[in-house]
Each structure stands twice: as structure tokens, then as C-alpha cells.
Amino acid sequence: MSDRYVRVKIQIEDMKSLGEDAGREAADAEEQAPEGPPAASVFPDAPGVTVAAGDASRVPLTCKQRVKSRSTAGKDVQKHASDVPLHGSVVTARHLNRLGHERALHVRGTGKILRGQLEANGNYVNIHPSKNNQETRREDGFKLARKNRPVTVDMSKAKTSLEALKLSIKQLKWKEFPLGRRAPCDIYWHGVSFHDNEKIVSGQVNKFPGMIEMLRKINLSRAVRTMQELFPEEYDFYPRSWILPEECQQFSTQIRMVKENEPTLNPTFIVKPDSGSQGDGIYLIRDPSDLKLMAGSPAKQAVVQEYIQKPLLIDKLKFDIRLYVLLKSLEPLEIYIAKEGLTRFCTEPYQEPSQKNLSHVFMHLTNYSLNVHSGNFVHSDSQSTGSKRTLSSVLYRLAAKGVDIKKVWSDIIALVIKTAIAMVPELRVHYQADIPPGKPGPTCFQILGFDILLMKNLKPVLLEVNSNPSMRIEHEQEVATGVFEYVPSPVDEEVKVGVIRDTLRLMDPGRRKPSVSHLRAGGPEHGEEVPMEAETRDRSPEDGALPSLCLKQVYPKYTKQFNYLRLVERIAALFIRFLGVKGNMRLGPTAFRTFIRTCKLSNSNFSMASVDILYIDITRRWSGTTGESKEAGMGLQAFVEAFFHLAGRRFKSLPLREQVASLLELCEAQLESQTAVEERRSVSCSRAMPRPAKTHALGPGNRQLGSPAPLRRASSQEYRLHQRLIPRTLRANVEN
Ligand code: ADP
């Protein structure tokens, strides 16, 4: 089925549902899928306050006589993510649409469409770039959406987000479908994962495929560590981490050496199970020998991390920040940060770790789900007191003490953008596997929960990113022994309804896009501080009487400052290009050879036999690592390692990041020139015998090229600009 056919089909379906909506409002109740009510309250995490202060018309929140099941309660559930089909870039002429004399060239993989006139001689001129795949899908699918009817939201899978979602939709005057709907909806709200509903072929889903996997503690640590190898200073906001069990030995040796060299140092470490959440299974240790690696049983997959011993305290209590971040799109990368967030407080005064207090969870762990069981937990009506407070109230208090909160906020924005840049490569691989270019599918966006600790010196530290941050706006209250009620939580409602409502506003299919010049503004240059107020156009005519957006765009706004960091994303684009088979996430040996050959990376010093050995060596090692899928082939992380190795061989005397940047430029140039040759061949071929151009998955016939040319060029320029700031002595001549 061609893209065009699919798009037309989607549009027809949209028109059908439009008619239905206009004419049969009353029938909506019957249209709702007979799936029963959405699963209730599996994922708590609520805050600490009492009675609702709000809209009297809201759905009653109390759930009388609910007996709490602690075992399943409140998993701030897992992380998951995915990505965009950034697949190859410069493939051209996938098919030609006749619009009079005007034609559209679909740029394979990027989803870009080039429009232009076909000259009498068959040459294609006056090409101007247009939208990418995600944008096109969004617009094609929804052009009609907003004109005559409210935006429709399928909430049948919303789970614990349901109440906040309902309030948001009510404020927006949109149309909710709590039990689903047979006709397509504009937006599908999933409580857990992209795959909550497998049948969606259009519209927008609030989850990326692969996000849960990407944000497991081990995978996030790996992704950030790769960035730390390339950019150690830029990524010093993530505590030093080791992956268990495979790096257990390394961890023990390194700590022993540190202690021998500096006997006064007495570091503490925090051990976190890979797929744990809400503090489950977490413990502190002071010596590697205290690791609970049970002999005889399979070693637990976990991350052991340097413990931040000197956090900033308020009222003598440790606290952390839950920041909501909207990943609006992967390609182009669009990130928004919520101005308002939550702070979660410990319930026992903090002391630096000692052998005596290591097991005091109420002192060391800020999780709401743990501290709510402490007798000291304070559910407060106020947003600036109690054990859960708004971020703004905490910043206000710090400002009153003379803290430079502009600097703190700017550091937090930088942390978020850098972390997102570390996550995106893996997400892109997942995205192209789940929604390959050409396959009908929804576009994705996702609200993420960043957990951030402020150190005593005010430096923000990333603890973790939650793919499924709790959107509950109620908390449980024990009304009699063992009997719990849900009561509204004003703090949660204030923050979370705003985040969901404004996410929906930004995803509104009828919303006017900010102008390209605005989007590409780029913000301050390298080294400049990110301003406190990320100025974005936060109102649009569709917003009516709604408050201004609480979500601020930070990317692409600050592209200029951070784009040079996107090296691994370009490696991922190469990886995706050579994956070949749709839905694949691993590179086979032949595909790896094709990559080497196409990019002309083998020579007399590096034969194809050595290439095969490199492939086998790295793939075998990675297949034994923790968290790595047992599927055959080379995953992205392994490919990145191979790429670093190749870069090191080729550009020996350069620092790693320059080695990698140089090899990327070389590969991209090879692919681009090859593409140009093929384009010429294709044009002369189509003149001789007009027929649709074929796309080859691999090899010289493949016209896909990872990232779109503008992104690559911009990224290379940013990188070179950045390099100019590095002292000359660090740069060396290229070696082969
Ligand atoms: P979970 O997903 O189980 O909540 P986290 O990584 O968020 O796991 O850790 C739980 C809590 O432990 C955090 O909220 C924080 O209070 C504390 N914590 C985690 N990592 C560190 C660290 N490196 N240094 C100090 N405290 C930490």
C-alpha cells in the first residue's frame, strides 16, 4: 500500500468521523468500545494534601472503603520510549505525485517532501524543502480535524491519568471518549506504553515506542555514559555509575584504588535495581563487599551509583525535584519544560551517610511512596509546606535566601536538553522499528518525569527519568485501620492538570505552528547561560481564555548551544540506514560489511577479514551484557562502540570526540556523493523509461541517509564552531 493511498484512506476516514461527529453527537455513548471501564488505580503516587479546592463539577474523587493493596500500589511505572523514522536521508524520488506540472519528491526516511516543477527536459527544478514524516503525518491526518468539530481524545487506556485528563479536556472543551471509540480519534492517551493499544494507525499517541526500555536504569546509564566519554564536562551532572553484575569487578577495583590513594575519602554508593521504581529494592553501601550479589542465584541487574552526600536541605530535610518534560517530537527534536513541578521531601532530618544511618530510608530516599508511610509525613493544604510542595514555592524560598535561582533554572534546562540528546539515538531506532517510514501509524509525544537533586552547591544532578510519571491527582488516606479513601490533592492537581492540558494544547492538530524562523532561532551560543525564561510564543488564537502555557520550549530554541552534542544521533542515523529490513533493530554481519564498504572504511591496513573479526568480537561481548536483548546481531550501543573503534583507528591522534566527528563527516560525505550519483542515474533512467523509483534497503542502491542534510550540516557546523573554542594544542592532524 503506498503512502499516498494510506494518507487518502486516513483522510476519508477522518471525513467520515467528522460527519459522524457533526450529525450524531447523541450516538457517541453507543460508539464507545465495549471494553469496560478503564483499569483503576494501579499506579498510585499521590501527594500529601487533603480536600479538593476546585471545580465543583469535577468527577467525585473519593473511592469509599477501598482496601489498599500495597504490593501493586503506586508503581511510578516504567519507562519506555521510542523514536522517529529518521532513517536514511537523501534518498529521493520515492514516488512522484502529479499536481499539474508540480511534483513532490519524498525524501525517504526523513519524510521530507521536496516540491518543484518538472521541466520539459525532465529535470527537476525549484525544489524547496517541506515537512518531515512526523509533521506530514500530523497535518495530513488532521487538516480537517479542527475546523468543524472539537478535538477527540480516546482515554480508554489512560489508567491513573484519567482524572487529570478529564479535567484538562473539560477546560479545553474537547471531546472525551472514556471507553474508546470505533472511529479514529485525534489523540490517544495511554497510561503505560505505546503498545497499550496496538490498533492505532493515525492520530497522535502520548507515548513513544521503546521509551520504557530506554529509560530503565541500566540503559539510561549506558546512554549517558556514552555521552560522558565524548563530552565529559558537559555530562558531569550524572553520578558515576557501574552496571551490575557485569561491572562488579571493575567497581570493586576502582573503589579500592580510590580509597588507597585518598584514605580520607569515604564514599557511599546507592544500589538501584534495573527495573525498580518508587525506591523498591534500593540500598546504600560503603564498601563493594556489601553488594548483595547472592551466590547461587542469578545476579540481580542493577546500577550502583555514587551517592550524593551533600544535598541541598530545606528545613534540614533532603528533597528532590520532579520536573515534567514534554518530548514533543524526535525529528525535529522538540523539547518543552514545565515551569511548575513538584518537590518531594524526606521525613527524617538529613545526616551525611554513616554506617549507623545507611538503612534510614526516610532520611536518604525522597520517594513519596516511601515517605508517605512515615509518621512524619505532612499532607498539607498549602503548596509551599508539607512533604510535597510545588517547585515554584521552593525556588521562591531559595530566592528569598539570596540563591541565584536563574542560574539554577538555567542549569536544569541544560541538564534536561543534554539528557534528551543522550536518549534520542536509541529512541530513533525503536521508532523506525515500530513505525517504519511508509507504514501507517500515529505520531508520538510523551510527558517524561525528570527526577533531579540539587547539591548543596546548587548544582543539579540527574537521578533518573520516568517514562510514566504519576499523573494522579488524588492521594490515599487511611480512614480506619486498613481502609483507605482517595482524596483530592491540590498540589498534584495544580501541577499535573496544567501539564496535561498544555501538552494537549501543544499537540492540538489545529494549532498554528510557530514560524520556522522562530523555531530555528537557536538561542544563545555555546557557553552562554540559558535564560531563566525560555521565551516561547505561548499563546495561540486557539487558546481563547486559557492561561498562558506552562510548558516552555527549550529545543530547538537553544539549538545553537547544544546541537554540537548530537554526534551519537548521527551514528544512529547511519545504523538505521544500514538496518535494511523494516522493523529490524539489529545489524547483521552482511549489513555491517556493507556499511564499511559503502563508507569506504576498509583499506590495506584494515581488511574485510578484520572487519568481520571486529563485528564478531563486539557483538559477542554485547550479547553477554546486562539488559541487552538476546536477539542475534549488533544493537545500536554495540554499533556505537564499533564506530568509536573505527574512528580511533582512522584518526589516531585526535581526542575521541574529534575522531568520531571526523569519521561521521567522512561517512556522511561518502553517502551523500553516492546518493548524488544515484539521483543523476535515476533521473536519466526515468527519462528513458518512466517508472516508480525502487528503494533498496541496503548497499549502494540504498538512497537513505541517516539524518536529513540540514541537520547534519548544522550539527557539523556547530561542532566545528565548538572546536574553535578548544585550545589548538588539543587538535592534531588527521591520520589514516
Ligand atoms: P526509583 O526509581 O526507585 O525511585 P531513584 O533513582 O529515583 O529510584 O532513587 C530513589 C531515591 O533515592 C531518589 O528519589 C533519591 O532521593 C535517592 N537517590 C537516588 N540516587 C541518588 C544518588 N546518586 N545520590 C543521592 N540520592 C540518590
Side-chain angles (χ1 to χ4, degrees), residues 365-528:
L365 307 187
T366 49
N367 300 77
Y368 162 81
S369 52
L370 296 173
N371 284 281
V372 75
H373 300 302
S374 148
N376 295 336
F377 193 93
V378 181
H379 287 289
S380 163
D381 280 337
S382 154
Q383 297 174 352
S384 53
T385 59
S387 299
K388 193 186 266 195
R389 308 179 194 174
T390 54
L391 173 58
S392 57
S393 76
V394 165
L395 290 178
Y396 187 80
R397 188 150 161 195
L398 294 176
K401 282 186 181 169
V403 168
D404 180 359
I405 55 166
K406 283 190 180 181
K407 166 89 172 79
V408 172
W409 187 243
S410 135
D411 289 347
I412 289 177
I413 292 179
L415 175 154
V416 168
I417 296 174
K418 289 173 188 173
T419 306
I421 286 175
M423 290 159 49
V424 164
E426 198 80 49
L427 293 179
R428 282 176 58 174
V429 175
H430 279 279
Y431 193 98
Q432 65 77 38
D434 267 284
I435 318 174
K439 182 181 159 190
T443 51
C444 304
F445 62 94
Q446 188 153 356
I447 299 171
L448 303 168
F450 277 63
D451 290 351
I452 294 167
L453 192 71
L454 287 182
M455 288 170 49
K456 198 174 175 187
N457 64 6
L458 298 169
K459 184 178 164 56
V461 169
L462 177 70
L463 299 177
E464 69 161 345
V465 186
N466 287 277
S467 64
N468 197 12
S470 166
M471 284 295 168
R472 266 192 178 283
I473 51 173
E474 322 93 54
H475 70 82
E476 285 176 45
Q477 196 164 283
E478 193 166 16
V479 288
T481 313
V483 181
F484 290 81
E485 269 186 356
Y486 279 106
V487 296
S489 164
V491 183
D492 286 274
E493 185 173 324
E494 162 79 14
V495 175
K496 294 174 184 176
V497 172
V499 170
I500 292 185
R501 182 198 60 224
D502 290 351
T503 294
L504 290 172
R505 282 161 81 185
L506 285 168
M507 304 318 296
D508 177 350
R511 188 178 181 84
R512 259 177 247 166
K513 284 187 188 306
S515 71
V516 170
S517 61
H518 172 68
L519 274 178
R520 306 281 175 240
E525 301 283 347
H526 304 301
E528 283 179 43

Side-chain angles (χ1 to χ4, degrees), residues 715-734:
S715 189
S716 285
Q717 279 161 13
E718 309 284 345
Y719 185 81
R720 274 194 289 272
L721 183 75
H722 181 73
Q723 290 313 300
R724 263 184 252 141
L725 303 174
I726 297 176
R728 226 160 219 298
T729 45
L730 285 181
R731 282 182 256 151
N733 290 332
V734 172

